[in-house]
Amino acid sequence: MLQSWAPILAFLILVSGFAVVSVIMSYVLGVKNPNPRKLAPYECGMQPTGTARERFSVKFYLVAMLFLLFDIEAVFLFPWAVVYRDLGLFGFFEMVLFIAAILAGYIYVWKKGALEWER
Amino acid sequence: MIEYVTSADFLLMMAKIVGIFGGVMGALAYLTWLERKLMARVQMRPGPTRVGPFGLLQPIADGLKFLFKEDVIPTNANKFLFVLAPIVALIPALLSFSVIPFGPRLQVTDLSVGLLFIFAITSLGVYGIVLGGWASNSKYPLMGAMRSSAQMISYELSLTLSVVGVLMIANTLSLGELVTAQQGTWFGFIPRWNIFLQPVAFVIYVVSAIAETNRLPFDLAESEQELVAGWHTEYSSMKFAMFMLAEYANMVTVSALATILFLGGWTGPMFGPEWLQMVLPTVWFVGKISVFIFFYVLLRSTFPRFRYDQLMRFSWKVLLPLALANILITSLIVALS
């Protein structure tokens, strides 16, 4: 068990080392010639107006919530699919019920208009 | 512990890790060259030609230039998160290579939950994008990051659901076993690849994979004409290079996963002497990945961009029901057989 995860840890250390070292290297080696204009937020040459920390559309939250619901269901499907051959017809009907429940929720969400991006 | 560190197993593992990491980094660098060259050819330009023969040294020149460029951190930005974001984006993108089987033995570790591990790790990449877009404290990056995260999580659903059909046939989550299950042929000439059993899942997977990696025609997150460069507008020097590297790494990961799940991974015709048989699986694997990469670049150079509402509608109203229907039909057929 641990034997198969230890290489992942080693790989993680190597990869994070690479990422951190390249950030530090570019900080050390790069030229430094800052001026206020250069350090201002990029806005296509205009003087930046206001702050960027504004409110954004609530639709993004909605997508995130729907994603959570459906992704949890996807996670349930994974172990079921792996042992599917052992479960036989019992597993099939159990999962038909489960997917029917998903579909009911899905149709409800569709009818409520949560999937319409234009509104 | 000390016995393990000095054992031959440990040395072999270290050699594999360093070899795969080095090979992948080299391949990613040359992927930028390949993409520029291919795009240029499609547009009747020669592409990079000046640095070395056929511009082959261009990636090295680019890398050095990234290293010596000014490291700009905007005054308004949240400095800690701004520096952290490219690191957060790059680490999961590269870490997924630790479970991908490049050959029968050329795999760092064959986790029993390898597929879940890759999905878990690659979905962490969205944090790098959101952190980078938010920490920049600039309007375009914020918009790019919001769009990108909504797009990535939407397409991740159809991506994960499309794989379930394959799992029902293979009954394993280990990537090594997924490949070995596809060895051999039907009737002596059709390879036993899952693509022939799950064609719908394959199409759903490839479309979602392109959207997952924010590539054209789904590159709403960095659409040059409206958002400058999307979430990495404020990034320069090596940090920008790290975002790019993460994007290319993700591209290779999803292509490799498509190859493993649907196209039989490293399986392929075996012939020739002993040493050739050692190399051939890796050659087949890299060749299959290259087909996907070539396809991605052709898509990028020939297709216009989706509109955002079209993009979201396509994911939620077409791909998701299609993936669910595919699961139901596959489970019915497997249960009856």
Side-chain angles (χ1 to χ4, degrees):
Chain A
M1 181 63 195
L2 208 61
Q3 291 282 337
S4 62
W5 284 90
I8 303 254
L9 183 67
F11 207 87
L12 177 67
I13 292 168
L14 181 70
V15 166
S16 349
F18 172 78
V20 171
V21 164
S22 44
V23 165
I24 294 172
M25 285 282 276
S26 88
Y27 178 77
V28 172
L29 292 175
V31 280
K32 280 175 198 67
N33 191 11
N35 70 52
R37 283 288 168 84
K38 195 188 278 177
L39 298 181
Y42 184 81
E43 219 149 285
C44 301
M46 300 287 197
Q47 283 285 334
T49 51
T51 168
R53 299 279 154 81
E54 297 224 31
R55 290 182 291 179
F56 45 81
S57 176
V58 73
K59 282 179 275 192
F60 290 109
Y61 288 107
L62 195 60
V63 169
M65 280 195 291
L66 289 178
F67 163 75
L68 274 185
L69 292 177
F70 283 100
D71 206 39
I72 289 169
E73 280 153 350
V75 167
F76 278 128
L77 284 172
F78 264 70
W80 166 76
V82 172
V83 294
Y84 183 62
R85 272 187 215 274
D86 303 330
L87 293 176
L89 271 181
F90 167 74
F92 172 69
F93 285 112
E94 285 286 299
M95 202 36 78
V96 165
L97 277 178
F98 183 65
I99 291 178
I102 297 181
L103 275 180
Y106 177 73
I107 291 165
Y108 175 76
V109 166
W110 189 322
K111 289 279 176 229
K112 274 279 173 188
L115 305 180
E116 315 290 332
W117 193 260
E118 299 90 342
R119 294 202 300 176
Chain B
M1 186 66 201
I2 294 167
E3 281 161 32
Y4 177 60
V5 169
T6 51
S7 70
D9 280 0
F10 181 76
L11 288 178
L12 188 67
M13 184 193 92
M14 281 298 160
K16 272 187 198 169
I17 288 176
V18 172
I20 286 179
F21 180 73
V24 164
M25 294 308 281
L28 291 180
Y30 274 89
L31 212 55
T32 61
W33 174 85
L34 186 79
E35 179 161 28
R36 286 173 69 178
K37 206 75 179 169
L38 271 175
M39 289 268 292
R41 288 299 181 197
V42 171
Q43 295 160 355
M44 313 273 273
R45 295 184 286 119
T49 53
R50 294 302 164 113
V51 195
F54 306 105
L56 269 173
L57 298 177
Q58 187 73 42
I60 299 166
D62 285 346
L64 284 176
K65 201 167 181 183
F66 276 130
L67 212 52
F68 289 105
K69 279 285 172 187
E70 182 170 358
D71 192 14
V72 180
I73 301 179
T75 27
N76 286 352
N78 185 328
K79 295 209 171 42
F80 176 68
L81 291 181
F82 189 82
V83 177
L84 189 69
I87 301 177
V88 171
L90 185 63
I91 290 176
L94 290 178
L95 190 60
S96 53
F97 288 107
S98 57
V99 289
I100 288 177
F102 290 89
R105 277 189 295 274
L106 199 58
Q107 184 180 18
V108 173
T109 173
D110 190 13
L111 288 183
S112 51
V113 288
L115 192 64
L116 273 183
F117 177 77
I118 286 204
F119 280 143
I121 286 293
T122 46
S123 49
L124 286 180
V126 76
Y127 281 104
I129 290 171
V130 174
L131 276 181
W134 189 82
S136 302
N137 199 356
S138 172
K139 283 158 202 153
Y140 297 114
L142 183 72
M143 275 187 243
M146 293 313 296
R147 282 187 186 189
S148 171
S149 51
Q151 170 185 343
M152 281 172 85
I153 59 176
S154 297
Y155 278 87
E156 201 174 298
L157 269 182
S158 36
L159 191 83
T160 40
L161 285 178
S162 70
V163 169
V164 172
V166 174
L167 291 181
M168 263 185 276
I169 293 164
N171 289 318
T172 176
L173 284 169
S174 142
L175 295 179
E177 285 172 31
L178 271 169
V179 173
T180 42
Q182 297 177 64
Q183 276 174 325
T185 51
W186 286 299
F187 313 121
F189 63 98
I190 306 172
R192 246 176 209 289
W193 293 349
N194 286 331
I195 182 175
F196 299 116
L197 300 171
Q198 290 282 314
V200 181
F202 179 70
V203 173
I204 298 171
Y205 180 90
V206 169
V207 172
S208 318
I210 299 168
E212 270 293 285
T213 46
N214 288 322
R215 301 272 306 172
L216 258 164
F218 303 104
D219 73 334
L220 275 293
E222 47 185 304
S223 45
E224 292 91 349
Q225 289 82 358
E226 0 172 353
L227 292 182
V228 188
W231 79 88
H232 53 64
T233 303
E234 299 286 353
Y235 281 89
S236 58
S237 75
M238 204 62 197
K239 294 203 203 68
F240 171 76
M242 284 161 74
F243 272 126
M244 280 287 128
L245 211 57
E247 187 184 319
Y248 280 100
N250 280 328
M251 213 161 98
V252 175
T253 309
V254 291
S255 310
L257 217 50
T259 308
I260 293 164
L261 289 167
F262 296 100
L263 295 180
W266 44 257
T267 60
M270 287 295 182
F271 50 83
E274 188 86 3
W275 64 268
L276 195 64
Q277 303 233 353
M278 295 278 282
V279 200
L280 265 181
T282 312
V283 173
W284 295 132
F285 191 65
V286 172
K288 287 171 188 173
I289 293 179
S290 311
V291 172
F292 280 103
I293 303 284
F294 189 75
F295 177 65
Y296 283 0
V297 176
L298 278 191
L299 270 186
R300 181 178 168 189
S301 46
T302 46
F303 272 79
R305 188 175 298 127
F306 270 85
R307 232 170 45 218
Y308 202 72
D309 61 315
Q310 291 171 333
L311 173 97
M312 297 307 271
R313 195 193 310 137
F314 186 59
S315 156
W316 285 97
K317 293 192 174 175
V318 180
L319 290 181
L320 188 60
L322 206 60
L324 280 176
N326 181 57
I327 292 173
L328 275 177
I329 292 169
T330 311
S331 64
L332 185 63
I333 293 171
V334 173
L336 291 180
S337 63

